[in-house]
Amino acid sequence: MRRQDFDNGKILPLVLMMSIPTCLSQAVNVLYAIVDRMFIGNIPMVGQSALAGVGVAAPVTTLLSSFAVLIGMGGSPLMAIREGHGEHEEAVRTLSTGFSCLIVLSAILTPVFFLFRTPLLELFGSSPATLPYARDYLTWYLAGTPFALVGSGLNSFAINQGMSRKAMVSVMTGAVLNVVLDPLFIFVFGMGVKGAALATVLSQAASCAITLAALLGPGAPIGLALAGPRAYIVRRTVRLGLSPFLIIATDSIIMIALNSVLQHYGGPQMGDTLVAASTIIQSFHLLVMNPLGGITGGSQGLLSYSYGAGRTGRVRRTWASVQMLSTLYTILMMTIAWHFSGPFIALFTQDEEVARVSMHYLRVFTAMIVPLSLQYNTVDTFTALGWSTVSLPLSLFRKLVFFIALVTIPAISGGPGSAFYAEPTADLVASLVSTTTLVIMLPRVLRQREQGSLSI
């Protein structure tokens, strides 16, 4: 049934069927971070310092999650392309290799990050007041690294074989559990930020178990077979996954750089206030970017399958449908950010100064998210088609523009909050470059597929 749908089903309904559950999954997944920060920011007496500390720890957790993206977003399009090309056994081997890689990465990364957690947090902008909270949160969070990596990475494989709803159930179950456990551990048991991290770990473990059960069950079109990794598949997975990996990994570096610049220019008077505001702003930004990535990434399975099958017209129509959804979503989120952000900010803090700064710079931070939807869709489309040589430079270019703007804008203006203007600057420039690249390169890529054999 799935093969018939991907071959002959109407494009827009298929895109909606795949992208909407994935978008909702990503939105719910963001609740892990948002709910933690919401409860932490309201801890009596220490809420602001604890919130800033968790904000400093966020780049480390983001960096960890990028390794799940490396395998999941690298391997799952390869799996779907092979399935579309009629190579079912190779698709199964690709999924099994991805699972093995996630297990190995978990075993390596957990002790490494645990050993270096304190110097990392100090490097990433922790002040003496926020370091204890950042360290407590990260110490407990690292215990759940295997659940986070395996669950998130395998979710991409589930989505790209048409199991978007099951992937959504997995993520939603974990998010609901996190909402229940957070206040219990933080306030009832008096664990503070440690309780928030423990709640996240248990929730991620539940999500991981559900995803594994789905892929091991009889209903999976491409089932998970427990086998060792194949070296040639690992190489292709890493090569294709490098672009989304660097997007997420450099996001963590961006958060680090932004927090450091805010601390530097804010000084003892405003530094922690600006970092606390940045934590709130980036929480909202996650609600924009992660679901947007769910929309553009959710249909990668259809793009990859159609490309593998040589159905290039369906590739074009899929891109157009995804872009329509992405544009509508970013318009909605920009409207909320500019006109209805007060209640969202109030969930995190009762401090009037932090709330005022957050509201002002949230509008700045989200000013160019509508054109950014073009960049996201372009990068994910070329990734789905196996063209990392196009998607990777586009990903890196946006981050390069951000860093240049982050260094130059505060230096020129001298205002501590001016660092927030780096985001809309990078979004606008990247969208212009990505759109130009799409117009030039996509017809060439599809024409090459029409004229020749499949090459990955």
Side-chain angles (χ1 to χ4, degrees):
M1 180 65 181
R2 174 189 170 276
R3 181 183 289 271
Q4 293 172 357
D5 287 342
F6 275 20
D7 278 334
N8 303 310
K10 293 183 177 180
I11 294 296
L12 183 58
L14 280 172
V15 168
L16 291 172
M17 182 182 70
M18 298 182 70
S19 288
I20 297 303
T22 310
C23 174
L24 292 174
S25 295
Q26 290 298 323
V28 172
N29 199 32
V30 172
L31 290 177
Y32 281 116
I34 289 180
V35 169
D36 282 354
R37 296 171 187 182
M38 181 181 71
F39 285 116
I40 288 168
N42 286 282
I43 296 175
M45 305 299 292
V46 300
Q48 180 178 330
S49 295
L51 180 62
V54 172
V56 173
V60 184
T61 62
T62 301
L63 184 58
L64 275 171
S65 69
S66 66
F67 288 93
V69 172
L70 174 67
I71 303 303
M73 298 295 285
S76 59
L78 290 175
M79 175 194 71
I81 290 173
R82 292 302 187 191
E83 183 75 359
H85 201 239
E87 303 175 61
H88 179 74
E89 292 303 317
E90 188 68 8
V92 172
R93 281 192 287 269
T94 302
L95 170 58
S96 301
T97 294
F99 175 69
S100 300
C101 289
L102 291 166
I103 294 295
V104 171
L105 282 173
S106 299
I108 295 171
L109 294 173
T110 302
V112 169
F113 275 79
F114 185 85
L115 183 63
F116 294 103
R117 67 192 186 286
T118 299
L120 280 174
L121 292 170
E122 291 173 339
L123 178 65
F124 292 176
S126 259
S127 68
T130 61
L131 179 59
Y133 302 105
R135 185 170 51 216
D136 283 348
Y137 182 85
L138 187 58
T139 298
W140 285 73
Y141 182 93
L142 288 172
T145 299
F147 304 126
L149 263 61
V150 174
S152 178
L154 289 183
N155 241 21
S156 296
F157 286 95
I159 290 167
N160 270 13
Q161 57 177 284
M163 300 172 67
S164 299
R165 293 177 184 173
K166 290 186 178 181
M168 181 178 66
V169 169
S170 167
V171 174
M172 290 188 69
T173 300
V176 170
L177 185 60
N178 193 45
V179 171
V180 173
L181 294 179
D182 255 337
L184 181 66
F185 290 158
I186 293 172
F187 299 112
V188 177
F189 295 160
M191 296 179 67
V193 295
K194 298 176 184 178
L198 179 59
T200 298
V201 168
L202 295 176
S203 303
Q204 289 173 337
S207 293
C208 180
I210 293 172
T211 303
L212 272 172
L215 289 173
L216 289 168
I222 305 171
L224 173 60
L226 303 181
R230 304 295 179 96
Y232 71 95
I233 297 178
V234 174
R235 288 193 297 270
R236 292 170 180 169
T237 296
V238 171
R239 185 168 65 245
L240 188 56
L242 194 58
S243 175
F245 167 77
L246 287 174
I247 292 176
I248 305 299
T250 51
D251 276 345
S252 67
I253 299 173
I254 281 175
M255 286 188 279
I256 296 163
L258 180 59
N259 288 340
S260 298
V261 170
L262 291 173
Q263 280 284 6
H264 175 73
Y265 283 93
Q269 299 295 324
M270 283 290 293
D272 284 348
T273 296
L274 287 168
V275 172
S278 176
T279 303
I280 297 171
I281 291 168
Q282 291 182 49
S283 296
F284 186 88
H285 204 241
L286 286 174
L287 277 176
V288 178
M289 296 298 102
N290 283 33
L292 175 61
I295 293 172
T296 60
S299 292
Q300 279 189 324
L302 178 57
L303 284 165
S304 301
Y305 184 93
S306 299
Y307 180 72
R311 305 287 297 277
T312 55
R314 292 177 71 80
V315 172
R316 293 184 181 92
R317 293 195 296 275
T318 300
W319 181 91
S321 297
V322 170
Q323 186 57 50
M324 180 191 68
L325 290 178
S326 302
T327 302
L328 291 174
Y329 178 72
T330 48
I331 289 173
L332 171 65
M333 296 306 292
M334 184 176 177
T335 302
I336 293 173
W338 279 59
H339 300 289
F340 306 103
S341 60
F344 178 84
I345 294 170
L347 293 172
F348 295 85
T349 183
Q350 302 303 314
D351 187 292
E352 292 183 3
E353 180 64 8
V354 173
R356 183 190 66 80
V357 173
S358 299
M359 185 172 296
H360 175 70
Y361 287 113
L362 178 59
R363 294 173 180 174
V364 171
F365 215 72
T366 57
M368 291 295 165
I369 59 174
V370 177
L372 181 63
S373 65
L374 285 162
Q375 204 257 356
Y376 262 61
N377 194 15
T378 298
V379 168
D380 280 352
T381 294
F382 281 112
T383 300
L385 303 185
W387 280 75
S388 58
T389 53
V390 177
S391 59
L392 178 56
L394 290 177
S395 302
L396 294 178
F397 176 75
R398 176 171 170 256
K399 304 308 169 72
L400 177 62
V401 175
F402 179 92
F403 282 115
I404 293 172
L406 183 63
V407 172
T408 56
I409 293 176
I412 294 171
S413 71
S418 61
F420 288 111
Y421 284 88
E423 179 69 25
T425 301
D427 292 348
L428 177 60
V429 174
S431 67
L432 293 173
V433 172
S434 294
T435 303
T436 302
T437 303
L438 179 82
V439 171
I440 295 172
M441 288 298 303
L442 186 60
R444 295 181 185 178
V445 169
L446 296 183
R447 189 162 53 247
Q448 179 176 325
R449 178 67 187 96
E450 292 164 355
Q451 296 173 351
S453 59
L454 178 67
S455 176
I456 302 176

